[in-house]
Amino acid sequence: MTQLSMAQALNAALRDAVKDDDRVVILGEDVGALGGVFRITDGIAADFGDDRCFDTPLAESGIVGFAVGMAMGGFRPVVELQFDAFAYPAFEQITSHVAKMRNRTRGAVALPMVIRIPYAGGIGGVEHHCDSSEAFYTHTPGLRVVTPGSAQDAYDLLRDAIDSADPVVFMEPKNRYWTKESVSFSRDSAPMDQAVVRRPGRDVTLIAYGPMVATALETAEAATAEGWDVEVVDLRSLSPFDDVTVSASVRRTGRAVVVHEAAGFGGYGAEIVARVTEQCFHYLHAPVLRVTGLDIPYPPPKLERHQLPHVDRILDTIARLQWQDQPVVASA
Amino acid sequence: MVVAMPRKNPAELLPSATPVRFVAEDASAVDEHDGYAEPPGDRLRKAYRLMVIGRRFDTQATALTKQGRLAVYPSSSGQEACQIGCAMALGPADWLFPTYRDSVALVARGVAAPEVLTLLRGDAHCGYDPAAVRVAPQCTPLATQTLHATGLAYALRRRGEDAVVMALAGDGATSEGDFHEALNFAAVCDAPVVFFVQNNGYAISVPLEKQTAAPALAYKGIGYGVRSEQVDGNDAVAVLSVLDAAVAYARAGHGPVLVEAHTYRIDAHTNADDASRYRDPAEVQRWRAADPVRRLEKHLLERELLSAEEVERFRADAEQYAADVRAALNTEPSLDPLSLFDNVYARPTRLLTAQRAQVAAELKEES
């Protein structure tokens, strides 16, 4: 076990993948000498050579489209799209080609590639640097979408994503980049498709992912003072969605709150609520509620604290789960 | 990515002042091909034969849309010199990245006609195995495939394969960002890719003068450091000569090439389009007079590189080819709806497994 920040864990995952598999190449804007604007690719070009980690022209569609061709040519490209909202020029390549090549060619051409997108807010970034764009990608069949909530998961999920036979949109929560944790490189974590119960509890399930996992855990601690025993499920994989782990948790607790930073309307949380309602209806003591970002364009840095779900807002929502004044008890 | 090469001399990148041409519209030989060699006679005869078959394939496919056998067909009638030229310029290890309008190029590349038409018939998005025939799926979004071609060209070169990639695009696609990003990427990483633009005058209804203010589309290569050329796209001799040279240039490791062919789409954008709303019939008539198939035929006959008997034989071959296409397309395809779930992911997800079961149950109920 080594103490690493999430950024360092991602760097370690990339290094190990490049070392273990000749086909793995890292490309994008600034990934070479600079090591990425967040230093995720720090030192990789220097240690493994320019042909394994290289800078491209500044053109997001170009980076992804070029990587499609490289994947067709037998490589496993890992591309970095510098910020969430700067990934939009590549949206057509991602949705029309990366997601569909296997299907278009009836299995003859697969595109094992990873598209890394630093996303979400909480870092005081200016306009276009803090979007939560996960719903665009999860709504696209053919893509896998994963997001780590911890340094350990960052390592494990990125290794799995690079090994995946399918293209993976890998969403990195920027505000967690600098959080240090013990990280093991043994790769004995849950498989990439699987959600994980981060904290067991009896009364309510908080469903979170990426940047909100830490907030959910913090909320769970605070909730004990209110008499709530909160379970936290970290989804890890947004697509596919792990109905089994989530449903099992909600059936145990009978109450659920979904937390994410992205705008709520038409957002990923709506999908979770629908699935939980369909599968756990008779176990529920209250409607499944959401705590999401506001339905506004991402605000300027000095106002972003109003956008981001925070502990008090989540606690207030948990309090609303005492539907019809039902007592808070453990359910069967 | 490979370190950028020394800056190229702009003069070496510039296209010829006028399109390269060997054969005038009246089939007489002209000397407007400075530095380009005329392809040998047997190669021209082969091109002619493929063009006759390609023209017949095109009229057959158009007829099949009228009979409801194809959902849609974008004709390339009038562009046969380009369609055949790009396929003939490539070797077996090379790759072709075609658009929806390039079915005749696929036929010339050797892809079986029913497999070419699978997309347009509506049976599947791609009827052939791209890796097996080294032809990417026909691309419907504009210019996106030029980036794939560039990435693949770079990948193949890095793997030490002696392969060139040809990316096809129309005049409209040259306005798309991906076209420009592809030229830039290809030049920066020295990728052996040939961008072949078939400028047929219209992007659906929008004429070239509303598409670009460039002197010619070929000039779009200069700003990126890509060697460029323009060619009379209805002169098969010139198209073959220029594309042969472009492929040789890329294969030799000099980097990408952009070739613009000046040609014309005789038919509408697709069978669903009414070209009379945006084109003057007199213009179409003028271009009919520049027909590439007739031009090459006359040129070869006059030079005795082709005999009247061969012309008859090739036409008979084309009729037989069309009859085979008709027969193949007149059989009802056997499509398995459950195959819809097979290739979304390497292994179906739980969600897809459940939906597959649902569709299977619906099918059982129907039967």
Side-chain angles (χ1 to χ4, degrees):
Chain A
M1 300 288 259
T2 320
Q3 282 287 118
L4 291 181
S5 67
M6 182 184 279
Q8 289 168 324
L10 292 167
N11 182 271
L14 290 171
R15 282 172 178 276
D16 289 350
V18 166
K19 196 164 57 200
D20 289 354
D21 187 343
D22 288 343
R23 299 171 300 174
V24 175
V25 289
I26 298 163
L27 61 150
E29 168 77 2
D30 296 321
V31 298
L34 181 65
V37 288
F38 292 108
R39 305 294 179 267
I40 307 301
T41 57
D42 192 23
I44 296 178
D47 293 348
F48 295 93
D50 282 346
D51 60 339
R52 303 301 302 280
C53 177
F54 53 85
D55 288 326
T56 64
L58 199 175
E60 289 77 9
S61 185
I63 292 167
V64 174
F66 187 83
V68 167
M70 284 200 77
M72 288 178 79
F75 286 89
R76 286 183 169 248
V78 182
V79 309
E80 177 173 307
L81 298 181
Q82 216 158 70
F83 281 89
D84 32 56
F86 296 156
Y88 299 144
F91 193 67
E92 182 188 18
Q93 285 290 348
I94 296 172
T95 52
S96 292
H97 294 296
V98 174
K100 292 178 180 164
M101 188 65 85
R102 179 189 291 279
N103 191 253
R104 289 171 77 200
T105 62
R106 294 183 288 176
V109 180
L111 294 180
M113 56 188 281
V114 178
I115 299 168
R116 293 182 36 239
I117 305 176
Y119 82 117
I123 61 160
V126 294
E127 198 181 15
H128 307 305
H129 288 68
C130 289
D131 275 16
S132 291
S133 44
E134 63 271 24
F136 300 134
Y137 305 111
T138 57
H139 195 59
T140 305
L143 297 178
R144 290 174 180 276
V145 183
V146 302
T147 177
S150 67
Q152 180 66 60
D153 249 12
Y155 181 84
D156 292 326
L157 283 175
L158 187 51
R159 294 300 310 270
D160 285 356
I162 294 169
D163 287 346
S164 169
D166 296 309
V168 180
V169 175
F170 191 89
M171 308 205 64
E172 300 171 5
K174 292 188 285 277
N175 71 337
R176 310 300 308 165
Y177 271 149
W178 303 281
T179 311
K180 283 206 169 189
E181 288 170 337
S182 288
V183 176
S184 130
F185 303 128
S186 57
R187 300 193 68 188
D188 52 5
S189 66
M192 189 170 73
D193 290 355
Q194 212 169 294
V196 166
V197 175
R198 289 286 171 219
R199 181 194 192 279
R202 288 170 301 140
D203 302 330
V204 56
T205 299
L206 271 187
I207 301 164
Y209 56 85
M212 281 292 123
V213 173
T215 310
L217 289 168
E218 213 182 309
T219 305
E221 288 308 312
T224 54
E226 314 280 334
W228 294 88
D229 188 9
V230 174
E231 179 152 306
V232 175
V233 175
D234 175 358
L235 289 182
R236 303 168 82 244
S237 171
L238 305 186
S239 179
F241 177 79
D242 180 1
D243 290 284
V244 174
T245 303
V246 172
S247 294
S249 172
V250 176
R251 287 175 185 201
R252 275 195 301 275
T253 61
R255 291 178 175 80
V257 174
V258 180
V259 188
H260 63 57
E261 283 192 21
F265 190 86
Y268 186 72
E271 177 67 29
I272 305 176
V273 173
R275 303 192 75 76
V276 168
T277 306
E278 284 166 4
Q279 292 173 35
C280 308
F281 184 73
H282 293 293
Y283 297 83
L284 290 171
H285 303 309
V288 184
L289 299 180
R290 287 177 291 169
V291 184
T292 71
L294 307 173
D295 291 294
I296 56 172
Y298 199 86
K302 286 182 178 164
L303 294 170
E304 78 172 342
R305 69 182 182 85
H306 303 287
Q307 170 75 8
L308 302 174
H310 48 78
V311 172
D312 288 344
R313 205 178 270 172
I314 303 169
L315 284 174
D316 287 348
T317 305
I318 290 172
R320 288 175 54 210
L321 291 173
Q322 296 181 68
W323 219 256
Q324 296 176 340
D325 295 313
Q326 283 196 41
V328 179
V329 291
S331 59
Chain B
M1 195 170 280
V2 174
V3 176
M5 58 220 144
R7 295 295 166 205
K8 289 178 176 173
N9 177 354
E12 289 170 10
L13 305 177
L14 276 169
S16 55
T18 56
V20 173
R21 196 146 84 135
F22 284 77
V23 182
E25 281 176 25
D26 64 1
S28 63
V30 287
D31 185 10
E32 297 168 16
H33 47 84
D34 187 35
Y36 287 96
E38 175 156 347
D42 58 342
R43 192 161 167 76
L44 295 178
R45 204 163 47 239
K46 181 184 173 189
Y48 170 73
R49 182 173 177 276
L50 286 171
M51 284 167 72
V52 170
I53 289 173
R55 169 68 56 84
R56 189 63 189 88
F57 168 88
D58 200 88
T59 54
Q60 182 60 64
T62 299
L64 285 165
T65 59
K66 290 178 183 143
Q67 295 157 21
R69 287 290 177 189
L70 295 181
V72 66
Y73 183 72
S75 169
S76 61
S77 184
Q79 299 179 214
E80 286 84 356
C82 300
Q83 294 282 301
I84 269 60
C86 64
M88 282 186 67
L90 298 176
D94 299 331
W95 274 79
L96 181 69
F97 277 70
T99 76
Y100 55 86
R101 195 178 300 288
D102 299 310
S103 296
V104 170
L106 271 69
V107 167
R109 175 87 174 140
V111 183
E115 294 180 5
V116 173
L117 294 175
T118 304
L119 166 76
L120 301 165
R121 191 187 199 186
D123 298 355
H125 299 315
C126 183
Y128 49 89
D129 175 349
V133 292
R134 300 222 157 193
V135 177
Q138 282 180 275
C139 198
T140 314
L142 295 191
T144 51
Q145 84 286 358
T146 59
L147 279 164
H148 309 165
T150 303
L152 179 62
Y154 169 77
L156 294 174
R157 191 170 59 94
R158 258 188 64 170
R159 293 164 65 101
E161 288 189 30
D162 177 27
V164 171
V165 180
M166 176 100 66
L168 305 183
D171 39 303
T174 66
S175 299
E176 293 276 2
D178 277 5
F179 178 76
H180 296 265
E181 297 188 18
L183 285 173
N184 192 41
F185 269 69
V188 169
C189 73
D190 228 358
V193 53
V194 176
F195 299 94
F196 183 43
V197 176
Q198 294 168 72
N199 169 8
N200 64 17
Y202 291 86
I204 304 190
S205 69
V206 178
L208 188 72
E209 62 266 26
K210 287 187 181 172
Q211 195 67 243
T212 181
L217 298 175
Y219 286 79
K220 296 195 177 209
I222 310 305
Y224 300 104
V226 173
R227 183 180 170 153
S228 305
E229 187 54 283
Q230 54 180 337
V231 62
D232 180 338
N234 284 29
D235 173 3
V237 181
V239 171
L240 260 183
S241 177
V242 167
L243 288 182
D244 281 349
V247 168
Y249 179 89
R251 201 184 303 286
H254 301 307
V257 185
L258 166 65
V259 176
E260 175 196 9
H262 298 265
T263 184
Y264 195 79
R265 138 166 77 75
I266 293 294
D267 289 340
H269 167 62
T270 70
N271 54 295
D273 168 40
D274 176 8
S276 72
R277 293 174 72 104
Y278 55 84
R279 290 199 313 204
D280 181 355
E283 176 186 288
V284 183
Q285 272 316 109
R286 278 199 304 281
W287 277 96
R288 278 189 194 280
D291 185 85
V293 185
R294 207 171 330 120
R295 196 194 302 190
L296 182 63
E297 180 183 298
K298 199 165 172 224
H299 178 73
L300 294 180
L301 284 170
E302 282 172 6
R303 295 190 51 201
E304 295 183 347
L305 290 167
L306 185 73
S307 67
E309 293 74 37
E310 280 175 310
V311 171
E312 283 312 306
R313 197 168 78 235
F314 293 167
R315 283 184 187 158
D317 289 351
E319 279 310 314
Q320 185 57 52
Y321 189 85
D324 292 346
V325 172
R326 248 186 343 263
L329 271 289
N330 280 332
T331 57
E332 273 306 314
S334 150
L335 302 174
D336 178 9
L338 296 181
S339 70
L340 290 171
F341 302 98
D342 289 346
N343 294 301
V344 184
Y345 296 98
R347 284 196 314 275
T349 58
R350 276 195 203 100
L351 185 66
L352 291 187
T353 304
Q355 291 178 0
R356 189 182 197 278
Q358 180 198 333
V359 172
E362 286 167 4
L363 288 170
K364 207 171 167 190
E365 218 158 276
E366 280 173 24
S367 66

